[in-house]
Amino acid sequence: MMKEIVLFFAVLVAIVIGQANQPLNVVPYPQQVEMGSCNIPVTSILITSNIESTTFSVSMERYTNLFFPFNNVSNSEENDSSSITLEVTIYSDDETLQFGIDESYNLVIQEESYQIKTATIYGAMRALETFKQLITYNQLDNSYSIQCVSISDYPRYPWRGFMVDTARHFIPKNMILHMIDSLGFSKFNVLHWHIVDAVSFPVESTTYPNLTKGAFSPSAVFSHSDIEEVVAYAKTYGIRVIPEFDIPGHAAAWGIGYPELVATCPDYAANVNNIPLDISNPNTFTFLQNFFSEISPLFFDNYFHTGGDELVTGCWTEDPTILNWMTKMGFSTTDAFQYFENNLDNIMKSINRTKITWNDPIDYGVQLNPETLVQVWSSGSDLQGILNSGYKALVSFAWYLDKQVPDGKIHYEWQDTWQDFYAADPTVNITSNSNNILGGEATMWAEQINQVNWDVRVWPRAIGIAERLWSSQSINTVSLALPRIGQFTCDLSRRGIQSGPLFPDYCPMQDDLVFTMKPNIKLSNSEIKLILNK
Ligand SMILES: *[C@@H]1O[C@H](CO)[C@@H](O)[C@H](O)[C@H]1NC(C)=O
Ligand SMILES: *[C@@H]1O[C@H](CO)[C@@H](O)[C@H](O)[C@H]1NC(C)=O
Ligand SMILES: *[C@@H]1O[C@H](CO)[C@@H](O)[C@H](O)[C@H]1NC(C)=O
Ligand SMILES: *[C@@H]1O[C@H](CO)[C@@H](O)[C@H](O)[C@H]1NC(C)=O
Ligand SMILES: *[C@@H]1O[C@H](CO)[C@@H](O)[C@H](O)[C@H]1NC(C)=O
């Protein structure tokens, strides 16, 4: 008994020390850190890699440009001893980027030896970000130095997503690339592209060219080559891009070019979100089959999001054609929704994609195919039920960045809501099947967001979510995270992301710093082809 008590206290002390011991200003905090005793002055850094890869060379070039934000530091030729070579060793040259790829890395910094060792180029990208954060700018003598340390790191969750909504407001391609910069810096690895919605359809289709009549403007449209550039650019951060075509609800924009695709229900039409697809018409499914066959090859990911949220079945039953069809088929509204999801499964199978939906079909009583990945926006108790039914799930309900007051907490300063996102562990109140949680996604719905205010609404608040998804569950204390996040938000702003401060401090910035809403590297067409293996 005594032994157990001693052990208990030993564990307790270890946990407390583990928490208190966050000596590095790194976000998200790494899994294992062993501090070294030296601090090495640096004036220039050369990155070398044992493999040839266009994708990874973009990443190396990017970080080489980011290491030294102030260009008035004396250069390496004056003092060779502070010019260092960072050696990257990658054990596999397989660049396949899909769910579950190995992102782990080892980073060792000691006198005369600067080593990164990883299984994949994606682990090496995470390591370069950590390395960047270990470089300190010392304003007093206008110099840079790097902390000696040994880090062994890997993510807690393999799915760390961020949802961008380009339907409520069109977001220009260059701004999407800039957003990807900010997500990559924070070690997010999925861009969930909520690309169309009820109010606009900004995606070019060669099969159905009239779809873009549903765009806000002919200039507010993503071409196939825009999409390819986004997907290739994201790959240079190890970010998978997954499109969401939200159906059968929220489908009004499909009906602007092709009115026969959508239901007709005057009583509901005052709210554009209420208009679903007409599922009684077999041509609707032919259309979806052809359209998704055209679009899905632009996205190499095995997953494909088909929405499924906020279906208003009253619109179906108000449309006489649909009501007659339901009566003939003997369908309730739930049966009709079930019929839709079953047909959609056949289409997903034909394009070889795994379906993601929001939790709504399940709430409505639909049995989803067990392979379906369910993104839960409703609540933790819904999540528990979904996990217990055997589905794999993504957590989103606590991470709605568009909400001004998450989870009913009141903060005097709005940016302090980062703490609410930080507090939301995906497993809170989950008592069984928590290993069916693949991770989670922050969501930024864009009714009141466009390229002008996206940065300042998202950052620094989303840093808390990035850390919750990457770091160990025990790294969860606001007071310990705050100084690190303060340092990182300063670093982000020096890199051109408009991430503001959280407390009184001084963040020296470049005199000529411009917030550009542009990517930090421009890919050439030939690089895009090489990155996409085309
Ligand atoms: C540039 O160099 C000067 C002189 O060493 C120094 O005072 C200043 O802080 C440096 N950094 C910036 C950002 O100007
Ligand atoms: C070069 O840098 C090192 C480390 O800061 C310093 O000890 C040394 O004096 C410098 N040498 C010269 C010639 O400036
Ligand atoms: C597309 O719209 C044009 C008019 O803008 C129309 O002439 C054409 O028939 C439409 N095509 C389809 C397939 O609906
Ligand atoms: C279909 O997707 C699976 C992974 O979900 C992949 O292993 C397989 O190669 C794909 N098949 C084709 C024909 O693309
Ligand atoms: C967890 O359970 C507690 C106690 O029932 C409740 O107050 C809290 O809101 C729950 N949190 C979540 C995220 O469901």
Side-chain angles (χ1 to χ4, degrees):
M1 187 65 193
M2 192 59 202
K3 217 163 146 189
E4 276 158 30
I5 291 172
V6 170
L7 190 66
F8 172 79
F9 279 104
V11 169
L12 197 69
V13 167
I15 289 170
V16 170
I17 289 175
Q19 281 210 359
N21 188 17
Q22 296 176 15
L24 292 179
N25 275 327
V26 172
V27 174
Y29 204 73
Q31 301 282 349
Q32 285 168 34
V33 171
E34 218 179 292
M35 294 299 285
S37 53
C38 44
N39 198 288
I40 301 170
V42 283
T43 53
S44 81
I45 296 167
L46 175 71
I47 311 173
T48 64
S49 158
N50 64 318
I51 64 162
E52 295 257 345
S53 156
T54 304
T55 311
F56 188 57
S57 63
V58 171
S59 182
M60 292 196 293
E61 183 188 345
R62 163 179 295 130
Y63 278 100
T64 302
N65 294 339
L66 288 172
F67 286 146
F68 303 106
F70 304 103
N71 56 17
N72 68 345
V73 173
S74 59
N75 73 42
S76 58
E77 277 135 50
E78 289 167 29
N79 191 338
D80 281 344
S81 68
S82 47
S83 166
I84 70 173
T85 300
L86 176 60
E87 283 178 54
V88 182
T89 308
I90 300 166
Y91 294 111
S92 164
D93 61 3
D94 183 352
E95 292 192 12
T96 307
L97 179 60
Q98 289 292 352
F99 170 71
I101 50 118
D102 190 329
E103 297 173 272
S104 66
Y105 65 89
N106 285 306
L107 167 61
V108 179
I109 299 169
Q110 52 196 18
E111 300 271 15
E112 322 255 301
S113 172
Y114 313 87
Q115 302 275 347
I116 286 172
K117 294 199 164 78
T118 68
T120 67
I121 59 170
Y122 305 109
M125 292 172 188
R126 307 291 170 250
L128 287 181
E129 174 56 39
T130 302
F131 183 86
K132 156 73 182 119
Q133 293 184 32
L134 291 171
I135 302 170
T136 314
Y137 173 63
N138 314 294
Q139 208 203 0
L140 287 182
D141 62 355
N142 192 38
S143 67
Y144 294 89
S145 59
I146 185 155
Q147 171 64 43
C148 291
V149 70
S150 175
I151 293 175
S152 178
D153 200 12
Y154 53 87
R156 178 181 175 201
Y157 287 110
W159 194 299
R160 304 180 308 282
F162 194 103
M163 194 211 74
V164 166
D165 172 4
T166 60
R168 273 47 176 270
H169 284 93
F170 179 74
I171 308 277
K173 178 198 71 187
N174 270 342
M175 180 61 190
I176 295 181
L177 302 180
H178 169 87
M179 293 168 169
I180 290 171
D181 289 332
S182 69
L183 298 177
F185 297 153
S186 309
K187 298 192 171 89
F188 281 99
N189 69 354
V190 175
L191 171 64
H192 166 175
W193 192 350
H194 187 90
I195 197 163
V196 307
D197 206 293
V199 289
S200 81
F201 200 105
V203 184
E204 170 192 35
S205 169
T206 49
T207 321
Y208 297 111
N210 284 359
L211 274 172
T212 46
K213 287 187 176 178
F216 286 125
S217 142
S219 64
V221 169
F222 299 108
S223 67
H224 285 195
S225 69
D226 289 339
I227 292 172
E228 284 186 328
E229 186 173 351
V230 167
V231 171
Y233 193 78
K235 194 177 170 190
T236 69
Y237 281 104
I239 293 178
R240 301 153 50 214
V241 182
I242 298 174
E244 178 186 354
F245 288 90
D246 191 3
I247 46 177
H250 286 233
W254 299 67
I256 296 176
Y258 298 91
E260 66 279 12
L261 284 179
V262 296
T264 305
C265 53
D267 286 356
Y268 290 90
N271 180 345
V272 70
N273 290 317
N274 290 347
I275 312 298
L277 293 175
D278 176 355
I279 61 161
S280 69
N281 181 354
N283 292 337
T284 300
F285 294 101
T286 313
F287 190 103
L288 293 175
Q289 171 77 60
N290 294 340
F291 177 67
F292 289 155
S293 300
E294 173 194 336
I295 290 297
S296 63
L298 299 172
F299 300 89
F300 56 72
D301 207 78
N302 289 335
Y303 286 87
F304 199 92
H305 204 310
T306 58
D309 64 318
E310 298 184 332
L311 170 64
V312 176
T313 51
C315 181
W316 278 347
T317 53
E318 194 191 329
D319 183 322
T321 316
I322 301 175
L323 184 62
N324 284 343
W325 169 80
M326 284 173 61
T327 309
K328 198 182 90 202
M329 302 291 280
F331 277 175
S332 66
T333 50
T334 305
D335 297 335
F337 198 174
Q338 180 77 56
Y339 168 87
F340 176 80
E341 292 297 332
N342 291 351
N343 281 351
L344 195 52
D345 282 340
N346 293 334
I347 295 172
M348 288 298 118
K349 202 167 175 191
S350 78
I351 61 170
N352 198 30
R353 293 292 188 270
T354 301
K355 185 169 79 174
I356 310 176
T357 69
W358 300 97
N359 54 273
D360 304 49
I362 293 178
D363 301 348
Y364 210 84
V366 172
Q367 297 281 316
L368 291 171
N369 137 25
E371 303 280 292
T372 311
L373 175 58
V374 183
Q375 182 168 10
V376 184
W377 69 271
S378 50
S379 69
S381 55
D382 270 13
L383 172 64
Q384 182 69 77
I386 286 162
L387 296 172
N388 290 351
S389 305
Y391 295 107
K392 300 268 193 283
L394 300 174
V395 173
S396 273
F397 45 85
W399 292 329
Y400 268 47
L401 289 159
D402 55 309
K403 283 167 73 173
Q404 307 296 297
V405 185
D407 292 341
K409 304 211 178 66
I410 303 292
H411 295 274
Y412 183 73
E413 300 283 7
W414 176 72
Q415 297 215 136
D416 281 337
T417 53
W418 78 267
Q419 298 173 19
D420 304 323
F421 302 126
Y422 193 61
D425 194 278
T427 59
V428 171
N429 297 355
I430 297 299
T431 53
S432 53
N433 297 307
S434 62
N435 54 358
N436 282 340
I437 300 175
L438 302 187
E441 291 193 352
T443 56
M444 183 39 117
W445 299 101
E447 280 83 351
Q448 301 184 340
I449 300 287
N450 65 7
Q451 67 271 38
V452 173
N453 59 352
W454 192 88
D455 269 16
V456 292
R457 292 289 183 88
V458 169
W459 307 108
R461 298 192 306 148
I463 298 173
I465 304 170
E467 178 152 298
R468 182 61 43 248
L469 287 168
W470 178 285
S471 303
S472 156
Q473 188 174 10
S474 66
I475 301 289
N476 61 6
T477 309
V478 164
S479 59
L480 297 177
L482 190 60
R484 292 187 289 109
I485 293 183
Q487 178 87 17
F488 185 51
T489 187
C490 168
D491 190 7
L492 284 180
S493 52
R494 283 178 189 156
R495 302 189 210 183
I497 311 295
Q498 300 186 70
S499 184
L502 289 168
F503 48 81
D505 67 347
Y506 178 54
C507 174
M509 292 189 206
Q510 303 90 314
D511 277 352
D512 56 353
L513 182 62
V514 202
F515 295 105
T516 59
M517 299 186 245
K518 285 195 176 127
N520 56 26
I521 280 194
K522 173 78 189 139
L523 299 182
S524 68
N525 287 339
S526 62
E527 281 174 320
I528 292 171
K529 287 205 162 59
L530 283 167
I531 290 167
L532 298 176
N533 302 318
K534 289 204 165 159

